[in-house]
C-alpha cells in the first residue's frame, strides 16, 4: 500500500469508530452495514472527506446506509478519560495493515471489526485498547485474549 492508501485506511477506520460511538453500535454493525463495496467507496472518497468534519461524513453514512441506533454504549459509565476515535482508528488501521494479505485489506478490516477483539478494544472499562499491538494481533489470530 502507498502512504496515501494507508492514510485513507486510517481515516476510514476512524470514521467507523466515530460512527459506532455516535450510533451506539458495535463496530461490526457499521462495517457490515457498509459492506465491502461501501468500504471501498469510503476509501476512494477519503481524500475529499478529509476536508469535511467526521460528524458530517458520519451523518451521511448513517443516512445512506440506514445504520440504526443501537445500545452498545461503551463510553457512558467510564470513570477515566477514554482514547479518541482517531486513536482507536489508528490502532485498527495498524492491525489491518499487519494482518491482511496484500490486496485483501478490506476483507481483513471487516474480519477485525466483526471479531471478538473489536468488542474487547471497545470496552473502555478495561485497558485492552492500551495493550501492545502485537498482543492484540496475536489474540485476534488465536480467537481469544491471550494470557
Amino acid at each position: 500500500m502507498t502512504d496515501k492508501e494507508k492514510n485513507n485506511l486510517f481515516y476510514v477506520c476512524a470514521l467507523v469508530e466515530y460512527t459506532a460511538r455516535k450510533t451506539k453500535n458495535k463496530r461490526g454493525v457499521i462495517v457490515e452495514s457498509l459492506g465491502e463495496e461501501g468500504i471501498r467507496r469510503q476509501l476512494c472518497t477519503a481524500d475529499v472527506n478529509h476536508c469535511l468534519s467526521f460528524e458530517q461524513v458520519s451523518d451521511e453514512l448513517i443516512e445512506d446506509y440506514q445504520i440504526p441506533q443501537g445500545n452498545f454504549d461503551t463510553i457512558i459509565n467510564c470513570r477515566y478519560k477514554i482514547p479518541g476515535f482517531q486513536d482507536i482508528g489508528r490502532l485498527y488501521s495498524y492491525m489491518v495493515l499487519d494482518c491482511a494479505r496484500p490486496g485483501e485489506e478490506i476483507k481483513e478490516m471487516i474480519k477485525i471489526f466483526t471479531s471478538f477483539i473489536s468488542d474487547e478494544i471497545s470496552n473502555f472499562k478495561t485497558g485492552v485498547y492500551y495493550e501492545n499491538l502485537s498482543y492484540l494481533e496475536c489474540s485476534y489470530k488465536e480467537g481469544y485474549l491471550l494470557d
Side-chain angles (χ1 to χ4, degrees):
M1 277 188 126
T2 66
D3 286 343
K4 178 181 171 185
E5 290 169 326
K6 289 177 186 177
N7 191 43
N8 289 348
L9 176 64
F10 158 61
Y11 175 83
V12 174
C13 287
L15 180 61
V16 168
E17 178 68 19
Y18 182 91
T19 304
R21 290 182 187 192
K22 184 173 184 157
T23 61
K24 295 178 177 56
N25 278 302
K26 291 186 176 189
R27 284 60 184 154
V29 170
I30 307 305
V31 295
E32 287 177 336
S33 295
L34 296 173
E36 283 187 47
E37 190 55 40
I39 293 171
R40 185 172 288 107
R41 186 174 305 118
Q42 292 307 309
L43 288 167
C44 290
T45 60
D47 287 345
V48 174
N49 288 343
H50 280 187
C51 301
L52 305 171
S53 70
F54 273 93
E55 184 176 22
Q56 179 180 349
V57 178
S58 177
D59 285 345
E60 291 171 6
L61 282 185
I62 293 166
E63 184 178 330
D64 292 348
Y65 292 92
Q66 299 178 351
I67 299 171
Q69 279 296 120
N71 59 6
F72 187 69
D73 190 342
T74 60
I75 297 171
I76 194 163
N77 291 322
C78 290
R79 292 178 51 192
Y80 305 105
K81 184 176 178 180
I82 62 168
F85 67 92
Q86 290 178 319
D87 298 324
I88 299 297
R90 185 162 313 284
L91 171 68
Y92 280 119
S93 67
Y94 288 152
M95 288 184 71
V96 170
L97 291 170
D98 290 348
C99 296
R101 291 184 179 144
E104 296 186 12
E105 291 83 7
I106 294 174
K107 288 181 183 191
E108 194 66 38
M109 181 181 172
I110 293 170
K111 283 175 56 179
I112 290 170
F113 274 113
T114 58
S115 76
F116 84 97
I117 201 70
S118 182
D119 292 347
E120 294 291 340
I121 291 168
S122 297
N123 183 357
F124 299 125
K125 293 176 187 169
T126 69
V128 172
Y129 56 89
Y130 284 125
E131 291 289 344
N132 183 290
L133 180 60
S134 61
Y135 168 78
L136 293 173
E137 290 172 354
C138 288
S139 293
Y140 160 67
K141 289 175 184 175
E142 289 298 318
Y144 60 93
L145 288 177
L146 301 172
D147 294 332

